[in-house]
Amino acid sequence: MCGIIGYIGERSTSEMLLQGLRSLEYRGYDSAGVAVVDNGELKLLRCEGKLDNLVRQVDPTGLNGSYGLGHTRWATHGRPNEENAHPHRDCSGTIVVVHNGIIENYLDLKAKLTKQGHKFVTETDTEIIAHTIEKHFDGDLALAVRRSFEELEGVFAFVALSANEPDVLVGARNGPPLVLGIGDDESFIASDVPAFLNHTRSAVYLDDGDIAILRRGDVTVVDANGAEQERPPQRITWDPVQVEKQGFKHFMLKEIFEQPRAVRDTLLGRYSLDTGLVHLNEVALDDAFVERLSRISIAACGTSWLAAQVGKFYIEELARIPVDVDVASEFRYRNPILDENQLVIGITQSGETADTLAALKASKEAGATTLAICNVMGSMATRVCDQTLYTHAGPEIGVAATKTFTSQVVCLYLFALHLAQRLGRLSPDAARARLEDLARAPHVMESALEMAPSIVDVAREFYLVGNFLFLGRGHLYPIALEGALKLKELSYIHAEGYPAGEMKHGPIALIDDRMPLVALALDNPLFEKIASNIQEAKARGARIIAITTEGDDRLLPVLDGDRDSVIRLPRHPDAISPLVSVLPLQLLAYHIAVRRGCDVDQPRNLAKSVTVE
Ligand code: AGP
C-alpha cells in the first residue's frame, strides 16, 4: 500500500518528507520519490527500491525547497521502477501528484487526454491525475483538483502541487486514508499519523469526498463543490516512541511482546469485577434492537477473519445468538440475507480494508446495524459503521498482525459477555468469574512469553522444512489457521491449518517425515481427541511440535525427544486459550522467517492494509 507525505512549513522540506516516508515504510513499497519547490523551481527525485537509494541522491544535491511531496509506491499498475515511481508530472512538468489507490477509468481518461494532445511517459494510472489537473488548471490548483475529482473513478487518495501556484498543497480522498497534521507554523498531509507524529499530535482525518487545501499557516477542507467542511482536529495520544522499535530487532517482535499491554489497554475501563458487569459505553445498541437481534454476521479478511472465528465461539456460547463468519470478499458478493434485526460486525485493524468496507456498506444498505472492531481512530470503517468498538493496541507497524489480533479477540469476548448480560443469559456472578479469568490474561500472556527463547531452538530445527500442517480443535482451530497464516506470510513456507478432526478426511495422506505437525494440545476438554491425531501422525513418520500446558505430561510417552518439540504454556482458563496459545505460533513464524533471511516487517508482496480489491 502506498505512502503519501506532503509538507509546507518553515523547516527543511526534504528532511520532513524523508522522515515522513521513513515512518511509512511499514506499509510496504518497491520505489520512492520526492518533489520540492525551491523559489518557483520544481525539483524531482525518484528511485527504485528502498528509501536509502533516495536519501543517497538527496544528500549531494541538498534538495532545498519550502514545500513538497513524498511517496513510497506499492505497485498496482506498472512495474516497480524509477520511471513509474511517484511523484508524476503533467506535460508542463510544473504539476506533480502522489497517489494511493486505483483509478479504474484511467484508460478511458488516458485516451481522451491523448486526443487532446497530452503526452504520457509512464504505465501508471497516477499520471492521468496530473494531466487531468493540468487540463483544468488556470492558476487555481484547488479548483482544478475539485474538477478533476469529479472525473476520476475508483478508490484513490492523492496530493498535488503546482510550481505555478506557490505555497499550496491540495489533497483529495476517495477511499484510502488521508490525514492532516496541523503544526504551529507548518502542516502535513499524509497516508497515516506516524508520518508526522514526531512533529504534531493534532490530526484531522479526511472523509471520502474531502479536498484539503494546505497553505502556509492555513488549512481548509472543502467538498467537490467547494463548500467548506468542518473537520475538527483530534489529539493523537500515541507516543512517538511506541512507533519505534525500542531495542527489538523488528517491529513485529516488539509487537508480539506488547500484547499483554495491548490486551490490558483494550480491557481497561470496560468492566467491573465488583458488579460483574461489562460496560461497552461506546457501543450504543438500544434494548429493543438487542432483544430482537436474530443473527450476527462477521465479515473480515486475513487475521481479522480468524479473530472473527474465535468470536463466534464466544458469542454463541454466551449470548446464544447465531453467528455467521465470512471473508469479506465473499460476503460482499454473495447477496447475504440481512434485515433490520441483524448486526454485521466488520473486524479490521486498519479500518481501511477495501473488501471489509464494501461488506459493511452493503450491510448498511440492506438495513442491518453495523459495528466496527478497529484499531485506528477515525479510519473509514469507524465512519461507515453505526458503532465502533476500538481495540487499544496502539500503532501496529509490522505488516503481520499480532497485537491487533489478540486485542480483537478481547473485544469479541467483551462484546459476547455484554450481549449475554443484556439478554439476561449470564448472571453477574457467572460473568464475574469469566471477567476474573479475562483480567488475568495479560499476566498469563507475560508468563507464556517467557518460553520465547525455546522457540528459537525449535525454529533452528524446522526452518528449512518446505511444508507445515497446523491442527487445532474448537476455539483453537482458528488459532491453528492463524499459526499457518503467520508462517506463510512471514517465511514464505507453505502451511495449512486444519480442524484436527478432519485429518482422516484427506490431510492424513500428506503425513510423512517431511511434513511436520504443529498441534495445539492444551489441557482442555478436547485434549484426548487431538492426542489421538498426534499419535496417528507419529505413526506415519511426522515430526511433532506440540503446544501443551505446563505440568501436563500425557504426551511425553508419545513424543520422541530428539525428533519432536514440546512448548509448554502456563496453565490458564480455557476461555482465554486463544490469547495464550497464539503466542508460540507467532514467535515460531517470526524466528523461522528471521532464520530464512526474510523481511519480517515488510514481507514480500504484502501490505499493512489492502485498500484495493
Ligand atoms: C495479517 O497478518 C495479514 N497481514 C492480513 O491478512 C490482515 O489481517 C488483513 O489484510 C486484514 O487487515 P485489516 O485487519 O486491516 O482489515
Side-chain angles (χ1 to χ4, degrees), residues 301-304 347-351 353 399-401 408 485-486 489 610:
C301 301
T303 290
S304 297
I347 304 178
T348 168
Q349 62 81 19
S350 64
T353 298
V399 165
Q408 289 166 350
L485 176 57
K486 280 287 153 306
E489 63 177 329
V610 181

Side-chain angles (χ1 to χ4, degrees), residues 511 533-542 558:
I511 299 297
N533 296 123
I534 291 171
Q535 294 187 52
E536 290 158 7
K538 283 291 296 172
R540 290 159 178 82
V558 175

